Amino acid sequence: MTSTRSMLMTGNLAAAWGARLGRADYIPAYPITPQTEIIETIAKWVRTGEIDAKLVQMESEHSMLTAAGAASLAGARVFTATSSQGLLYALEMLYNIAGWRAPMVLVNVARALAAPITLEPDHNDILAARDSGFLQFHAETCQEVLDLILLAYRVAEDSSVLLPAIVNLDGFYLSFTREKVDLPSEEDAAAFLPDYKPVNPFSASNPVSKGATVLNGALYSYFKYHMHASSLRARDVFEKASAEFERMFGRSYSPVETFMADDAEIVLVISNSFSTIGKQAVKRLRNRGIQAGLIKLRMLRPFPSSLVARYLSGRRGVAVFDQNISLGFGGIIYSEVLTSLYHRRNRPQLILPVIGGLGGKQITIEEMERIFEATKNELGSESPEPLFLMRSEELERTMNLVKTAKEVHS
């Protein structure tokens, strides 16, 4: 029987506890809002001797990730965190670290990308890293932040995977929101996540080569294929680790979570913290006799295509909520859901693209209900109109600001 204690904590504090219970050895750091609380908390624990780890303030996110990957290859269990422009500044190193097969864990506190500058979240930062080779796990709650960090280490360090992982949480909506979190004891966390045993680590007495130059397309393709195959294996490894996690701690995690979806005719696909509002909308619609349901994407890389197809095939309508925008196309996750369903004979009659929550725009329950209504109205349409969420009062307020700006410059 495992022992736990409950605490009210922010998503950032839950991330710090994930690093602590995961017994991270090395934390290279560089501050950026809204991630800074994570590093401040870990720095305090290091200073007071509550954890036995080395924290180093680097001069940039690029340096931070370079140090992180190198330390992982040397045999350290590595944790770090960033956000938004910081993640993009380090993007070059994400590809290197994945190619090095360095199984570290990076927390991204999602924040929209400049310009215009904002501190609030959407997912264009984390999705810019979707092709890097990092596994991606997305959290709805503070509890998930903590648990997914422990699971991410288990999956990343598995000898059949050996890829780094990102755990994503929404800035402000989750990073600074306090929720009840059940903390496993350090002994139980260690039983679930044993010590890291690196494969062929850097050693002065046993030199090894990592990330060697490959001036040969066939050899380069060989390495990329094996990275791809390892990423695909991560789903099975995650499911097995989750089953053990549930036996030990009583909380169940799958790559795709379903909510009141068994008999749903219209299903909303969503991820991260707005999933909570989506679930509330589904409950209200069910109370009105509407067969609504929701599936939440917890794993984005590898993309759980077969699970998405299983849960969405045979539905009348599906709406895909993207808290991101690929300019000139639309939502990024929309295209991945479409790809998962295209070859299914019983694919849904309609798959509606929805974009909302950009730059932290608040999404209300009524807006979530509007998504289901629009999906129902578009059934039978061969070219459904994408839904871009903005309430009338928000549009009016925005246009007033635009008008004021024009008057100032006229």
Side-chain angles (χ1 to χ4, degrees):
M1 189 71 180
T2 58
S3 61
T4 61
R5 61 187 172 114
S6 298
M7 290 177 59
L8 274 180
M9 64 176 69
T10 63
N12 278 347
L13 184 54
W17 269 102
R20 175 169 174 164
L21 293 172
R23 304 183 316 288
D25 301 304
Y26 180 62
I27 303 105
Y30 192 79
I32 181 170
T33 302
Q35 157 267 31
T36 307
E37 183 189 10
I38 300 173
I39 300 305
E40 287 177 341
T41 303
I42 295 174
K44 176 186 172 187
W45 288 337
V46 171
R47 187 177 67 251
T48 58
E50 292 178 73
I51 61 174
D52 181 19
K54 177 81 170 176
L55 186 145
V56 179
Q57 169 90 32
M58 309 301 288
E59 66 267 27
S60 74
E61 289 88 353
H62 191 283
S63 304
M64 180 183 83
L65 265 296
T66 304
S72 176
L73 292 181
R77 179 171 281 163
V78 178
F79 175 88
T80 191
T82 190
S83 175
S84 189
Q85 310 299 136
L87 184 67
L88 263 64
Y89 190 39
L91 192 60
E92 176 193 1
M93 288 314 302
L94 298 189
Y95 282 78
N96 273 294
I97 293 166
W100 295 344
R101 313 300 295 265
M104 54 164 289
V105 171
L106 164 67
V107 163
N108 183 63
V109 185
R111 175 182 135 190
L113 296 169
I117 295 174
T118 181
L119 298 178
E120 297 194 68
D122 64 34
H123 300 151
N124 269 98
D125 60 350
I126 180 66
L127 292 177
R130 70 187 184 279
D131 303 327
S132 65
F134 272 62
L135 312 173
Q136 285 200 14
F137 305 99
H138 290 237
E140 176 187 355
T141 66
C142 296
Q143 184 72 63
E144 279 193 50
V145 173
L146 167 65
D147 294 346
L148 287 178
I149 289 171
L150 298 178
L151 283 161
Y153 276 118
R154 270 286 295 263
V155 178
E157 294 173 1
D158 189 278
S159 60
S160 68
V161 178
L162 289 179
L163 286 169
I166 297 176
V167 175
N168 187 71
L169 64 142
D170 284 341
F172 289 83
Y173 285 96
L174 204 56
S175 64
F176 302 134
T177 297
R178 291 183 186 277
E179 295 177 341
K180 172 178 166 289
V181 173
D182 292 332
L183 285 173
S185 68
E186 294 185 1
E187 293 75 18
D188 290 336
F192 173 74
L193 181 65
D195 290 339
Y196 173 40
K197 293 185 173 138
V199 178
N200 297 322
F202 283 142
S203 169
S205 59
N206 183 27
V208 295
S209 178
K210 305 274 189 181
T213 301
V214 176
L215 299 178
N216 179 307
L219 196 51
Y220 182 88
S221 300
Y222 170 86
F223 282 118
K224 286 298 177 182
Y225 172 78
H226 278 279
M227 288 173 66
H228 175 60
S230 296
S231 182
L232 294 178
R233 282 195 291 272
R235 186 190 131 188
D236 288 338
V237 175
F238 178 81
E239 289 178 330
K240 289 176 184 172
S242 295
E244 183 180 340
F245 191 91
E246 184 179 9
R247 284 195 295 274
M248 291 186 68
F249 305 113
R251 294 184 292 278
S252 174
Y253 295 108
S254 61
V256 176
E257 176 186 314
T258 63
F259 180 79
M260 304 183 86
D262 288 348
D263 62 344
E265 291 186 345
I266 309 291
V267 176
L268 174 65
V269 180
I270 196 168
S271 67
N272 291 278
S273 61
F274 280 146
S275 303
T276 303
I277 300 173
K279 291 173 182 175
Q280 291 175 323
V282 167
K283 281 184 179 178
R284 292 203 340 187
L285 291 166
R286 285 278 175 170
N287 288 337
R288 300 206 296 266
I290 298 171
Q291 288 178 282
L294 179 148
I295 73 167
K296 183 181 77 174
L297 301 176
R298 182 175 285 119
M299 174 184 280
L300 265 293
R301 282 294 180 275
F303 192 76
S305 299
S306 60
L307 287 176
V308 168
R310 182 197 305 171
Y311 292 134
L312 297 182
S313 294
R315 312 293 181 169
R316 291 188 69 199
V318 168
V320 182
F321 181 92
D322 268 295
Q323 198 179 346
N324 65 79
I325 185 165
S326 175
L327 300 173
F329 174 74
I332 293 169
I333 304 302
Y334 176 70
S335 62
E336 305 207 351
V337 171
L338 277 181
T339 302
S340 303
L341 288 164
Y342 180 79
H343 294 288
R344 297 280 171 156
R345 292 179 182 174
N346 59 343
R347 60 178 181 260
Q349 295 175 28
L350 175 82
I351 305 174
L352 183 71
V354 181
I355 292 177
L358 298 183
K361 194 195 94 66
Q362 177 67 49
I363 301 297
T364 64
I365 296 179
E366 290 74 20
E367 283 176 283
M368 288 290 181
E369 292 177 342
R370 172 76 180 108
I371 294 173
F372 286 92
E373 180 185 349
T375 306
K376 190 175 179 181
N377 291 341
E378 291 282 358
L379 289 173
S381 171
E382 292 187 355
S383 55
E385 288 293 323
L387 195 60
F388 196 106
L389 295 178
M390 183 172 284
R391 299 189 300 279
S392 57
E393 66 271 22
E394 290 176 321
L395 181 59
E396 182 180 358
R397 191 163 58 243
T398 300
M399 296 315 296
N400 285 338
L401 289 171
V402 171
K403 181 181 176 183
T404 301
K406 287 181 178 176
E407 291 171 351
V408 168
H409 292 286
S410 61

